[in-house]
Coordinates of all heavy atoms in Angstrom, one line a residue:
V206 N -16.8 87.1 12.6 CA -15.5 86.9 13.3 C -14.4 86.5 12.3 O -14.7 85.8 11.3 CB -15.5 85.9 14.4 CG1 -16.4 86.4 15.6 CG2 -16.0 84.5 14.0
Y207 N -13.2 86.8 12.6 CA -12.0 86.4 11.8 C -11.3 85.3 12.5 O -11.0 85.4 13.7 CB -11.1 87.6 11.5 CG -9.9 87.2 10.8 CD1 -9.9 87.0 9.4 CD2 -8.6 87.2 11.4 CE1 -8.7 86.7 8.7 CE2 -7.5 86.9 10.8 CZ -7.5 86.7 9.4 OH -6.3 86.4 8.7
V208 N -11.1 84.1 11.9 CA -10.4 83.0 12.5 C -8.9 83.3 12.6 O -8.2 83.3 11.5 CB -10.7 81.7 11.8 CG1 -10.0 80.5 12.5 CG2 -12.2 81.4 11.7
L209 N -8.4 83.4 13.8 CA -7.0 83.7 14.0 C -6.1 82.4 13.8 O -5.2 82.4 13.0 CB -6.7 84.3 15.4 CG -7.1 85.7 15.6 CD1 -6.9 86.1 17.1 CD2 -6.3 86.7 14.7
E210 N -6.5 81.4 14.6 CA -5.7 80.1 14.5 C -6.6 79.0 15.1 O -7.5 79.2 15.8 CB -4.4 80.3 15.3 CG -4.5 80.8 16.7 CD -3.2 81.1 17.3 OE1 -2.2 80.9 16.7 OE2 -3.2 81.6 18.5
V211 N -6.1 77.8 14.8 CA -6.8 76.6 15.3 C -5.8 75.7 15.9 O -4.8 75.4 15.3 CB -7.6 75.9 14.1 CG1 -8.3 74.7 14.6 CG2 -8.5 76.8 13.4
H212 N -6.1 75.2 17.1 CA -5.2 74.3 17.8 C -5.9 73.0 18.1 O -7.1 72.9 18.3 CB -4.7 74.9 19.1 CG -3.9 76.1 19.0 ND1 -2.7 76.2 18.4 CD2 -4.2 77.4 19.3 CE1 -2.2 77.4 18.4 NE2 -3.1 78.2 19.0
K213 N -5.1 71.9 18.2 CA -5.7 70.6 18.6 C -5.8 70.6 20.1 O -4.9 71.1 20.8 CB -4.8 69.5 18.1 CG -4.9 69.0 16.7 CD -4.2 67.8 16.4 CE -4.4 67.3 14.9 NZ -3.7 66.1 14.6
A214 N -6.9 70.1 20.6 CA -7.2 70.0 22.0 C -7.9 68.7 22.3 O -8.3 68.0 21.4 CB -8.0 71.2 22.5
G215 N -8.0 68.4 23.6 CA -8.5 67.1 24.0 C -9.9 66.8 23.6 O -10.3 65.7 23.2
R216 N -10.7 67.9 23.6 CA -12.2 67.7 23.2 C -12.5 68.2 21.8 O -13.7 68.4 21.5 CB -13.0 68.4 24.3 CG -12.9 67.8 25.7 CD -13.9 68.5 26.6 NE -13.9 67.9 27.9 CZ -14.7 68.3 28.9 NH1 -15.5 69.3 28.8 NH2 -14.6 67.7 30.1
G217 N -11.5 68.4 21.0 CA -11.8 68.9 19.7 C -10.9 70.1 19.4 O -10.1 70.5 20.2
P218 N -11.1 70.7 18.2 CA -10.3 71.8 17.8 C -10.6 73.1 18.7 O -11.7 73.3 19.1 CB -10.7 72.1 16.4 CG -12.1 71.5 16.2 CD -12.1 70.3 17.2
Q219 N -9.5 73.7 19.1 CA -9.6 75.0 19.9 C -9.5 76.1 18.9 O -8.4 76.3 18.4 CB -8.6 75.0 21.0 CG -8.8 76.2 21.9 CD -7.8 76.2 23.0 OE1 -6.6 76.3 22.8 NE2 -8.2 76.1 24.3
V220 N -10.5 76.9 18.6 CA -10.5 77.9 17.6 C -10.5 79.3 18.3 O -11.3 79.6 19.2 CB -11.8 77.8 16.7 CG1 -11.7 78.8 15.6 CG2 -11.9 76.4 16.2
Q221 N -9.5 80.1 17.9 CA -9.4 81.5 18.4 C -9.9 82.4 17.3 O -9.4 82.3 16.1 CB -7.9 81.8 18.7 CG -7.3 80.9 19.7 CD -7.7 81.2 21.1 OE1 -8.3 82.2 21.4 NE2 -7.5 80.2 22.0
V222 N -10.8 83.3 17.6 CA -11.3 84.2 16.7 C -11.1 85.7 17.1 O -10.8 85.9 18.3 CB -12.8 84.0 16.4 CG1 -13.1 82.6 15.8 CG2 -13.6 84.1 17.7
S223 N -11.3 86.6 16.2 CA -11.0 88.0 16.5 C -12.0 88.9 15.8 O -12.6 88.6 14.8 CB -9.6 88.4 16.0 OG -9.4 89.8 16.1
R224 N -12.3 90.1 16.5 CA -13.1 91.2 15.9 C -12.2 92.4 15.7 O -12.7 93.4 15.1 CB -14.2 91.5 16.8 CG -15.3 90.5 17.0 CD -16.4 90.6 15.9 NE -17.1 91.9 16.1 CZ -17.9 92.4 15.2 NH1 -18.0 91.8 14.0 NH2 -18.6 93.5 15.4
T225 N -10.9 92.3 16.1 CA -10.1 93.5 16.0 C -9.0 93.4 14.9 O -8.4 94.4 14.5 CB -9.3 93.8 17.3 OG1 -8.5 92.6 17.6 CG2 -10.3 94.0 18.4
H226 N -8.8 92.2 14.3 CA -7.8 92.0 13.3 C -8.1 92.8 12.0 O -9.2 92.8 11.6 CB -7.6 90.6 13.0 CG -6.3 90.2 12.4 ND1 -6.1 90.4 11.0 CD2 -5.2 89.6 12.9 CE1 -4.8 90.0 10.8 NE2 -4.3 89.5 11.8

Side-chain angles (χ1 to χ4, degrees):
V206 294
Y207 176 76
V208 181
L209 287 177
E210 52 189 358
V211 183
H212 299 291
K213 279 188 175 179
R216 295 185 176 180
Q219 187 179 60
V220 185
Q221 302 284 343
V222 297
S223 174
R224 290 271 295 163
T225 62
H226 200 283

